[in-house]
Amino acid sequence: MPDPVDASVFFVGNATLIIRSHDFTVLTDPNFLHRGQRAHLGWGLSTRRRTEPALDVTELPAVDLVVLSHMHGDHWDRIARDGLDKDIPIVTTRHAARRLRRQGFRNPIGLTTWEHHSVRRGDRCLTVTATPARHAPGPARMLLPPVMGSVLDFGHGDQAELRLHISGDTIMDPSLAEIPRRFPDIDVGIVHLGGTRVLGLTVTMDGLQGAEWLRLIGPESALPVHYDDYEAFASPLSDFRHHVRRIGLTHLVHYLMHGETYQLPVPRQGPRPYRRTTGQG
């Protein structure tokens, strides 16, 4: 079992986290733009940042792996592009992997839904599995880059001892129901909120959908991210708090400010076998 002192999530801001467990350090959706700078969303669209990140790209610890949900400017910005080591492994969608190669990154790992990639260090293992995500309703999703959620399994040998699920930028969609069927024992759920409005559409979960996601996924605990950082976010964190209270799940949710660390709990389930589907690692 992981030592709870050594398993943690540090909140940089937006969807950028530093996750540590089993001697692995994972960086998610690296976004280091400063207050007032604009994140580019494609099609000539952009959104201004309202907040400061908790640290700069030059202050990052040594990172073993980046998990990138998709190629949007509030998840992968020009500061990350220019500041990260070009040899760092980046697990992402196949669409984003192609873009990263053109930017000079030598180790992008493109996954389709349910594919996985594993990294081993001695008897310790980290496995990232791509899960469904839907960034916009109906045909409008063709205007936005493909997105993946991810399940991160940390463990020893063939036993997963800590399991996190990151929603990625998604709205509630029937395809998400397969996630708890394949992974019914999520220890920590990390939910992207914000109710982002693009081209008149809501393209990330608002407070109501975030609460519904929490009930669907059923994690032992949850961390909300991706809220209040950009002008395009139309649903404040207070909306999520309200709906979580309404459905009686307040006890599951831990709220982090930028620069705060959450010590990950020792899982109640104990070690469990990795669930293999298709894979690359």
Side-chain angles (χ1 to χ4, degrees):
M1 299 291 285
D3 184 339
V5 173
D6 296 330
S8 64
V9 174
F10 176 84
F11 187 27
V12 177
N14 201 42
T16 308
L17 305 167
I18 298 171
I19 302 171
R20 290 183 169 99
S21 187
H22 291 74
D23 291 334
F24 292 104
T25 299
V26 178
L27 174 67
T28 70
D29 289 327
N31 177 211
F32 300 100
L33 294 175
H34 293 282
R35 183 187 297 115
Q37 293 182 312
R38 302 194 74 90
H40 297 286
L41 306 177
W43 302 96
L45 301 172
S46 67
T47 181
R48 190 184 307 275
R49 186 158 193 170
R50 296 166 168 160
T51 63
E52 286 289 334
L55 51 75
D56 191 70
V57 68
T58 59
E59 301 173 303
L60 286 171
V63 172
D64 297 296
L65 189 75
V66 174
V67 175
L68 173 62
S69 62
H70 68 302
M71 189 61 78
H72 256 163
D74 62 324
H75 295 259
W76 179 266
D77 60 31
R78 54 192 176 273
I79 299 175
R81 178 198 64 202
D82 296 339
L84 290 174
D85 187 330
K86 292 297 191 290
D87 286 322
I88 193 168
I90 305 172
V91 178
T92 188
T93 65
R94 293 194 174 186
H95 169 269
R98 291 192 294 270
R99 292 274 303 273
L100 290 166
R101 289 188 191 97
R102 290 199 293 270
Q103 292 178 8
F105 285 86
R106 290 179 278 274
N107 289 306
I109 299 117
L111 302 181
T112 58
T113 301
W114 306 125
E115 285 187 329
H116 72 268
H117 174 76
S118 295
V119 181
R120 293 188 178 272
R121 180 176 294 139
D123 69 337
R124 300 187 179 217
C125 183
L126 164 62
T127 296
V128 181
T129 303
T131 60
R134 182 66 59 88
H135 207 350
R141 70 179 183 273
M142 304 303 294
L143 300 175
L144 299 176
V147 181
M148 73 175 199
S150 54
V151 169
L152 279 61
D153 280 322
F154 297 88
H156 287 81
D158 293 326
Q159 298 293 311
E161 295 172 341
L162 178 66
R163 177 165 287 153
L164 285 71
H165 173 44
I166 305 173
S167 72
D169 277 15
T170 187
I171 56 175
M172 286 298 289
D173 182 82
S175 64
L176 304 189
E178 183 64 19
I179 299 170
R181 284 197 285 266
R182 295 191 185 220
F183 297 96
D185 46 8
I186 301 295
D187 298 309
V188 181
I190 298 171
V191 54
H192 289 204
L193 299 171
T196 311
R197 297 285 291 176
V198 174
L199 299 173
L201 298 172
T202 298
V203 298
T204 65
M205 289 182 280
D206 58 17
L208 174 59
Q209 289 193 47
E212 292 173 348
W213 180 92
L214 196 61
R215 187 155 52 185
L216 171 69
I217 299 299
E220 293 289 336
S221 62
L223 300 173
V225 300
H226 196 271
Y227 58 82
D228 298 349
D229 285 283
Y230 281 91
E231 291 176 350
F233 295 170
S235 176
L237 182 61
S238 57
D239 288 348
F240 178 69
R241 288 182 184 268
H242 166 73
H243 289 291
V244 167
R245 285 195 300 268
R246 180 180 57 80
I247 63 175
L249 295 179
T250 301
H251 62 287
L252 297 184
V253 183
H254 187 89
Y255 297 94
L256 285 177
M257 300 292 290
H258 292 194
E260 289 186 344
T261 297
Y262 176 60
Q263 298 297 332
L264 294 172
V266 174
R268 295 179 186 175
Q269 295 93 345
R272 64 221 97 151
Y274 287 115
R275 286 182 174 81
R276 301 299 192 195
T277 51
T278 55
Q280 297 191 347

